[in-house]
Amino acid sequence: MKTKLYSASFSARSLLLMIALVVFTGLNAFSQTFDRNYQDGRLYFKFKDNVRLDVRVNDDRSVDIREIPFVSALSSQYRLKELSRPYDLNNDAKLLKTFMLEIEDFGKIEEVIQKLGLEKDLEYVEKVPMCYIDYVPNDSLYNLYNGPSKWKWHLDVIQAEQAWDISRGSADIKVAVVDNAVWVDHPDLKDKIVAQRDTYYNTGNANPPSTGNPFDWSHGTHCAGLVGASSDNEIGIASIGFNVSLIAVKASNNNNPDGIYGYPGVQWAANNGADVISMSWGGGGYSATEQNMMNTLHNMGIVLLASAGNDNVSTPHYPSGYNYVISVASTNSDDKKSYFSNYGTSIDLCAPGGSASPSPDGLLSTTFNSSNLGYYDLMQGTSMATPFAAGLAGLILSVNPDLTPDQVEEIMKSTCDNIDAQNPDYIGKLGAGRINAFRAISNTPFEPTANFEASLTTILPGGGVDFTDLSTGVPSSWEWTFQGGTPSTSTEKNPTNIRFNSPGIYDVTLTVTNSFGTSTLKLEKYITATNTPSPLIAIEASDNNPCIMEEVVLMDKSLYQPTSFQWAITPETHQYVNGTSSASQNPQVIFLKPGSYSVSLTAANANGSSSADFEDFFAVAGAAPSFTVDMEDKTSGVFMLWDTIKSQAAVDKRGAHLSTYGIHLHGDPVPTGWSGSGTGTTPEQAWGTNVGFHAKAYICGVDATGMEDLTLQLDLRQTYSLGPKFSWFRVLVNGEQIADKEGNTNFNPTTAGADEWKTLTFDLSPFAGQVFDVVLQSATRFADKNQGEGDNVFIDNISITNTTPVKPVVKADNAFKVYPNPSDGLFTISSPRLTGNNIDIRVTSLLGTVVYSEKAKGNSSGLLKTLNLNNLPAGIYLLSVTDGQQQMNQRIVIR
């Protein structure tokens, strides 16, 4: 792969034509979420269960606002957009009494919630949540861990993923790349370019010429990819600008890829809607005309960025040295100044543009030339740092397009990370520091919306309350008013220990302000100070993500000394254990099936009772056969992935058989510490010594209760780098290594890069009838493609199938009775169909352990048998009765 130090060093000038002003779009056009945790302007309200409703609901679930009088009454004060009854799942009575109201003025939603909260017929009013998943793009080279080359090092340094959780950019923001050329048909750019021009030849084609060295003509294409390559499109790279649009301008003649006639291109970009212009070129000559041009561009509201130069000097460089142009120097992954980068008092800020440690030397981006990674290659220079910073400027404008160029620059500078410690010889000569995308986006202001919360809303008189500002829009000032509080006002962002000394119910008001506006939120009757508080419910769990059959402790953390408790957990597939119950203060629970569980707690003291619901409080892992996992949803399904600092585990397109996605396990770019050789590593070394190189996909609980025969099947492909004993695979059940049907326990590849997929089959019948763990494990030395193909394990199409022969199971209501059920331990079995002399009776725990068994005889009237299970602890068990021809099952409960 090529890498080149690249920043054009020549500048040609042209007269500036009169340029029309750019009109910015308003903030609302960008669908900016004012509170990212909740949907803008939407709230739910639910009528109490005992309220009778006569509300007409249209076929599209909409409701005329006039149908509900107290909602209609709000229309005179608020702009109500839409009312609906969004859910009717299973005709659930609670859902049928739940409505969603949408208001146009997002900033007044708290006022509307407060007013609706006064309606006596309503059970609750709440904002509509917004769900996010935690964000990593799926671009192939972004996720490819390829030997020592960490292709996305520059994005990691500036915390790009955290920034994307806040904003992934807007296509309405246009960043112009004025350069030698841009290959507009590049697969990672073609959907992002909204305008193009060759300003040297005055054509509508910004592509490189067909002659010359394609790498030399890749400079502009490389810069464009760093700004705004298509992201999350499953190919190539991700860009900091993510969804921003690109304007491509070719500003060179076809005989000189290094010569830039940039200012006509800058002018054309400005006249064609550019919000940001990236200029990775320049020279040492000053021009008043060019400064005037920069003045005009700045007055038009366009953000300008230019490379500081690659001569390792502090002398002026233009256009980066002009007023109103953000001058960008280059740093490496360790935040040290790149050896080539200019420095000095004219530098505004730094951005990654150099090399990573241990590699790669440069930033990976889109190119016109082809490398071993396709049309992507490495370049380094202030030329790369500049479009990278320009992409961040576009991301900032995506949050608030009304920002001025000075405000964008101030945000970028004020949120830079200080890198003086890494550069003691350049203090004061690298501008504000190295850009930090997450801090920049987090601190980008827009019109504020006041919001806050209190540490407690019910307190004893004299108690202190801490208040936390939750306002959006990055306020610059805060004005609090605390009715009945001491002190009664505050200008702090998060005032603490506000005391309410007298019993009463008090209002709290917050007004927040920034340069884009002011917002006030008043919560009436928000703080209650009382000598007789009911319990304030709070709970915790020893583990919120347990596996099935694992014991979990629910812990009451409620205030005001509750003395009685009543827990409820849904769904019902759970069991209290170790002598605890739903009335215990801190009950212990096991979950019988995987899935999401909600919890509610009602607690009482001498002053009254309180209740609280905690939706989806537990996420329980596990699986029940039969099932198949093929990764086509881009996840590992019921399997969890685990790796170490010396290994990698992921779902990607490399690991796929007869499908697109699969599990991919591989080793490390620096395999120091591996014990053994490419042809001589033993299984004991692979699994006992080389633990640091292990990676796995696993299920913490397979529930095979009541099953007799099970089969595990998977597709496997392996590769090796310098020998087959550097790539290992095995299967463990309950920590025990098992063999496939051919008797193999350890699997190695046979060829370096061309192993065929093979299907492995494992008999899991010895583990049937219980809950067990399954681990698919690798021990691989080298990273993928680090040495040839690398040491890889690919897994796909995993299934665990219940192959128990089907026996007729007779329904309990007509041929098999167990009574009383539940009981204290004495059960009577009755069945007219079991007439044989060899009847097997078995009782199994939910963990799959046989806890009771005996043989019985029937007669011509069938079986009548009493079981004494008094010695068993309280819980749920499976009773199975069979005569070999037919089997009858019944769940029994011992109280």
Side-chain angles (χ1 to χ4, degrees), residues 620-643:
V620 181
S626 298
F627 63 85
T628 299
V629 178
D630 61 10
M631 278 65 71
E632 287 306 281
D633 63 351
K634 306 178 188 178
T635 77
S636 54
V638 295
F639 283 86
M640 292 175 279
L641 301 183
W642 177 91
D643 54 26

Side-chain angles (χ1 to χ4, degrees), residues 646-647 665-668 671-683 685-687 690 693-694 718-729 747-752 778-784 786-787 789-793:
K646 287 285 188 180
S647 63
L665 312 174
H666 62 86
D668 189 56
T672 305
W674 180 274
S675 177
S677 68
T679 56
T681 303
T682 66
Q685 287 173 307
W687 307 120
N690 298 327
F693 293 85
H694 287 184
Q718 291 177 268
T719 68
Y720 68 79
S721 56
L722 305 178
K725 295 301 180 73
F726 280 154
S727 180
W728 293 78
F729 175 76
F747 299 86
N748 297 110
T750 57
T751 58
S778 73
T780 48
R781 181 173 185 238
F782 274 109
D784 180 47
N786 187 37
Q787 290 285 341
E789 181 68 9
D791 302 322
N792 296 290
V793 170

Side-chain angles (χ1 to χ4, degrees), residues 490-506:
S490 175
T491 57
E492 296 180 10
K493 179 180 181 181
N494 299 309
T496 60
N497 199 28
I498 306 299
R499 295 189 173 276
F500 297 84
N501 295 316
S502 301
I505 302 176
Y506 302 108

Side-chain angles (χ1 to χ4, degrees), residues 1-134:
M1 179 178 294
K2 298 179 180 180
T3 176
K4 183 174 181 179
L5 178 65
Y6 220 142
S7 181
S9 57
F10 302 100
S11 172
R13 303 177 178 88
S14 65
L15 292 177
L16 174 65
L17 301 179
M18 294 300 293
I19 302 176
L21 288 174
V22 175
V23 178
F24 281 89
T25 307
L27 177 62
N28 288 345
F30 289 76
S31 300
Q32 171 62 41
T33 299
F34 283 73
D35 182 344
R36 68 181 302 271
N37 293 313
Y38 297 95
Q39 297 183 31
D40 290 341
R42 286 183 171 180
L43 58 85
Y44 291 133
F45 62 86
K46 180 192 173 294
F47 285 92
K48 293 178 180 177
D49 292 343
N50 61 356
V51 174
R52 297 188 62 181
L53 294 182
D54 184 17
V55 176
R56 288 175 294 180
V57 180
N58 300 320
D59 292 340
D60 62 357
R61 296 192 173 92
S62 65
V63 176
D64 191 317
I65 288 174
R66 294 170 294 182
E67 286 284 316
I68 301 179
F70 61 77
V71 175
S72 181
L74 295 175
S75 298
S76 61
Q77 186 175 358
Y78 304 99
R79 289 179 295 166
L80 305 185
K81 185 176 180 181
E82 186 175 283
L83 177 66
S84 64
R85 189 187 68 188
Y87 309 117
D88 54 14
L89 181 65
N90 204 33
N91 285 321
D92 181 85
K94 293 182 181 294
L95 294 177
L96 293 177
K97 292 189 176 183
T98 303
F99 294 79
M100 184 170 70
L101 178 64
E102 186 170 358
I103 65 175
E104 292 190 11
D105 192 343
F106 302 159
K108 294 184 178 179
I109 190 168
E110 295 292 351
E111 295 179 28
V112 175
I113 289 175
Q114 177 190 342
K115 290 185 179 296
L116 289 177
L118 299 177
E119 295 297 327
K120 60 182 179 62
D121 287 340
L122 295 186
E123 180 179 331
Y124 62 80
V125 185
E126 62 183 6
K127 288 186 281 190
V128 179
M130 177 74 78
C131 300
Y132 297 90
I133 61 175
D134 262 76

Side-chain angles (χ1 to χ4, degrees), residues 748-769:
N748 297 110
T750 57
T751 58
D755 262 18
E756 295 294 331
W757 286 90
K758 56 187 175 183
T759 299
L760 307 181
T761 303
F762 300 81
D763 181 13
L764 300 184
S765 297
F767 306 95

